[in-house]
Amino acid sequence: MEINKFCYIIIVSIMFSFETGFAKRNETGLNWNKTDRILPIYVQDSIQNFYKSIDIDYCMYFLYGKGINEDKENPDGIYSFKMFSSHSHTHLLIIYHSEVYIVKSINYGGIVAEICRFAQKKNIDEAFLEKTCLICFNYLLDEYQTTDEEKNIEFANKDDFISSLLFSKSMDEVYKVYMEIKSHKNTAENLPFYILTKELDEKETILLLGLIGGYDFKQESQGWKIGEGSE
């Protein structure tokens, strides 16, 4: 009886080792792709190489987001991926004309700088860049929205946090910066310059990205009108 039990334990251990090894060799079985389309294998390879570059040889990760084209076979879009770990950071990933770019920065200044450099290098059109700014706006909100450390306030949801941004910061000044950037018609070149020279902080940068991305602040502010100040 004891021998049979020992043999059973050995067999189970061997099978578990086999399954684990198989999963590592065949990550597609983990259903890492949570987007709205089938993505080419080079996207998965890019993510794997990114993690290897930071000395993580194997991990479970998931990619989220939606493409920007109606054609589901076109992977172009701005996505986000995260390792299956409570302490891991979410990173942005851009696919443009079949080229993958992973944003390594996790702070607002670095994210904007990286995206704008890639946009200039690849001559990304304004419409695509505007959508990218909207994704960055939501990404930074998700990373920042739970608390206002300056006032030690916790927010129940994203809408409450957006409202706090509108009424606690000088939205009119941010709007003026937005209008200057749009007048040059080259967001990739001017966005980092204005963030730096106007000394915009993280909250103001979030607002600016929302404006460029076309976020409807009027609806969130319940009648507060952009460009006319808060009374």
Side-chain angles (χ1 to χ4, degrees):
M1 185 71 178
E2 290 296 325
I3 294 176
N4 290 338
K5 183 177 180 181
F6 178 76
C7 292
Y8 175 78
I9 293 173
I10 293 297
I11 292 171
V12 170
S13 298
I14 292 172
M15 291 180 65
F16 178 79
S17 298
F18 175 80
E19 291 295 334
T20 303
F22 180 78
K24 288 184 178 181
R25 292 192 299 273
N26 186 22
E27 288 188 26
T28 54
L30 298 175
N31 193 25
W32 59 277
N33 182 5
K34 305 296 182 181
T35 71
D36 67 338
R37 57 200 60 208
I38 298 174
L39 295 173
I41 191 65
Y42 62 75
V43 178
Q44 185 183 21
D45 291 340
S46 297
I47 297 174
Q48 289 175 337
N49 290 334
F50 166 76
Y51 281 122
K52 287 179 181 178
S53 72
I54 56 176
D55 297 325
I56 300 176
D57 290 330
Y58 171 76
C59 66
M60 292 177 62
Y61 56 83
F62 301 99
L63 183 70
Y64 303 91
K66 298 180 179 179
I68 63 171
N69 297 285
E70 293 184 4
D71 179 8
K72 295 293 184 179
E73 295 184 0
N74 188 328
D76 282 7
I78 308 95
Y79 307 89
S80 62
F81 68 93
K82 188 179 189 298
M83 188 167 66
F84 189 62
S85 169
S86 59
H87 300 294
S88 64
H89 293 288
T90 301
H91 288 272
L92 293 171
L93 180 147
I94 303 173
I95 305 177
Y96 186 73
H97 292 176
S98 299
E99 181 165 347
V100 177
Y101 181 78
I102 292 175
V103 180
K104 298 176 177 61
S105 299
I106 56 175
N107 65 78
Y108 73 100
I111 290 170
V112 170
E114 282 193 54
I115 288 174
C116 288
R117 279 198 301 268
F118 179 73
Q120 288 183 282
K121 181 180 179 181
K122 298 301 175 183
N123 197 28
I124 290 179
D125 61 79
E126 284 289 304
F128 188 98
L129 187 55
E130 287 174 2
K131 292 178 181 178
T132 304
C133 287
L134 185 59
I135 296 295
C136 287
F137 167 77
N138 284 294
Y139 167 84
L140 290 170
L141 280 180
D142 289 339
E143 294 295 302
Y144 195 86
Q145 77 182 50
T146 54
T147 60
D148 185 334
E149 294 181 355
E150 293 177 5
K151 298 181 180 179
N152 195 28
I153 299 174
E154 292 190 6
F155 299 97
N157 53 55
K158 186 182 294 185
D159 292 344
D160 287 350
F161 182 69
I162 293 173
S163 295
S164 77
L165 291 179
L166 290 171
F167 289 101
S168 65
K169 307 302 293 185
S170 54
M171 186 62 173
D172 283 339
E173 293 303 315
V174 176
Y175 185 74
K176 289 176 183 177
V177 173
Y178 162 73
M179 293 302 294
E180 288 186 49
I181 291 174
K182 297 302 291 182
S183 68
H184 294 295
K185 299 180 180 179
N186 190 334
T187 302
E189 180 179 348
N190 290 285
L191 179 55
F193 172 79
Y194 276 97
I195 290 175
L196 181 63
T197 58
K198 300 296 183 179
E199 299 182 344
L200 301 185
D201 63 17
E202 184 169 13
K203 292 181 181 179
E204 292 163 337
T205 300
I206 291 174
L207 291 172
L208 181 59
L209 289 169
L211 284 170
I212 295 172
Y215 187 85
D216 187 4
F217 284 108
K218 293 181 181 179
Q219 178 179 349
E220 297 297 338
S221 60
Q222 300 179 347
W224 189 88
K225 296 182 179 181
I226 296 174
E228 294 183 8
S230 56
E231 299 177 354

